[in-house]
Amino acid sequence: MAAIRLGDVAPNFTAESTEGTINFHDWLGDSWGILFSHPADYTPVCTTELGTVAKYKAEFDKRNVKVVALSVDGIDSHHGWINDINETQGTTVNFPIIADEDRKVSELYDMIHPNADSKLTVRSVFVIGADKKVKLTITYPASTGRNFDELLRVIDSLQLTAYHKVATPANWENGDDCVVVPAVATEDIPGIFPKGFKEVKPYLRMTPQPNLD
Ligand code: BEZ
């Protein structure tokens, strides 16, 4: 199993989920995607994470992102646990959870890290672009719940780069100035970024976030 690296095409698979059989690439269609694993059903941190993802659906939809979760538990377990998530987190789970009992997807995506746990998936995150290429990978340990605001922030950054030729500086938040990517020559900036730019250094050119009114 080769490591999955940024820029690779996200490996395709077919798997059972709480919303039926998923062929990953077909299911993604023209959307961006997040594939994320959790260690086990009926565990406290995972319960809060999946409830949070359900509550963020409008934010993911706004960004054209489809979300799918995964653990090595079975379908019946997932369905039972969804009832608990909905009850305790005050939400309705609105995305599929893959039942990877044979660990096919977990192994394909290297989600089991044997020195952390020999059987359970860690908290992996793969963000996949509309071109099916892997744009971001993050791995958290079982004991740390993910920050989904950070995931939205990164997706905003990735989409700015994909559609507007800007990168985002340290601690960037939506609305802050952006960095003009090095591939754009300084003489071409006025034609591409009509809001203006500031040349701090020849290699550091800042411009207002281009996709805001
Ligand atoms: C949890 O989701 O709470 C959890 C799962 C596995 C290990 C530790 C915590």
Side-chain angles (χ1 to χ4, degrees):
M1 173 197 50
I4 295 176
R5 294 180 172 162
L6 302 188
D8 292 353
V9 172
N12 196 21
F13 58 81
T14 299
E16 296 309 312
S17 86
T18 50
E19 297 186 3
T21 305
I22 284 180
N23 174 282
F24 189 47
H25 283 189
D26 291 348
W27 176 82
L28 282 169
D30 295 329
S31 300
W32 288 58
I34 297 178
L35 169 65
F36 72 111
S37 58
H38 58 272
D41 296 353
Y42 295 103
T43 49
V45 175
C46 304
T47 300
T48 63
E49 283 194 322
L50 271 68
T52 300
V53 171
K55 286 179 193 163
Y56 280 28
K57 178 164 173 50
E59 294 299 324
F60 292 123
D61 286 351
K62 208 158 68 182
R63 293 162 174 83
N64 189 30
V65 177
K66 293 174 96 173
V67 178
V68 58
L70 174 149
S71 81
V72 298
D73 298 294
I75 288 284
D76 290 346
S77 167
H78 285 346
H79 280 300
W81 181 43
I82 283 171
N83 293 334
D84 281 9
I85 297 169
N86 291 343
E87 177 195 327
T88 62
Q89 307 304 303
T91 189
T92 301
V93 170
N94 44 29
F95 53 88
I97 308 176
I98 291 170
D100 192 36
E101 285 184 289
D102 62 4
R103 296 166 168 67
K104 194 175 75 183
V105 181
S106 311
E107 285 169 11
L108 188 62
Y109 277 79
D110 195 23
M111 292 166 162
I112 296 176
H113 296 194
N115 291 327
D117 190 296
S118 61
K119 294 198 182 80
L120 303 178
T121 42
V122 291
R123 296 188 197 281
S124 299
V125 183
F126 294 87
V127 174
I128 294 140
D131 57 3
K132 308 276 187 299
K133 291 190 176 162
V134 175
K135 305 294 181 190
L136 173 87
T137 64
I138 323 181
T139 307
Y140 289 69
S143 52
T144 304
R146 282 160 282 209
N147 184 326
F148 292 94
D149 290 321
E150 167 61 5
L151 268 186
L152 291 175
R153 190 191 76 91
V154 175
I155 288 166
D156 285 341
S157 170
L158 289 167
Q159 294 188 341
L160 278 168
T161 303
Y163 303 133
H164 298 283
K165 297 185 179 170
V166 289
T168 56
N171 292 344
W172 174 86
E173 296 283 353
N174 197 28
D176 292 348
D177 284 355
C178 299
V179 170
V180 178
V181 295
V184 174
T186 299
E187 59 267 29
D188 295 334
I189 292 179
I192 301 173
F193 300 103
K195 292 180 183 173
F197 74 102
K198 182 177 177 196
E199 185 177 25
V200 182
K201 288 282 180 189
Y203 58 85
L204 176 57
R205 294 90 39 94
M206 304 299 295
T207 191
Q209 186 174 325
N211 63 341
L212 297 180
D213 293 334

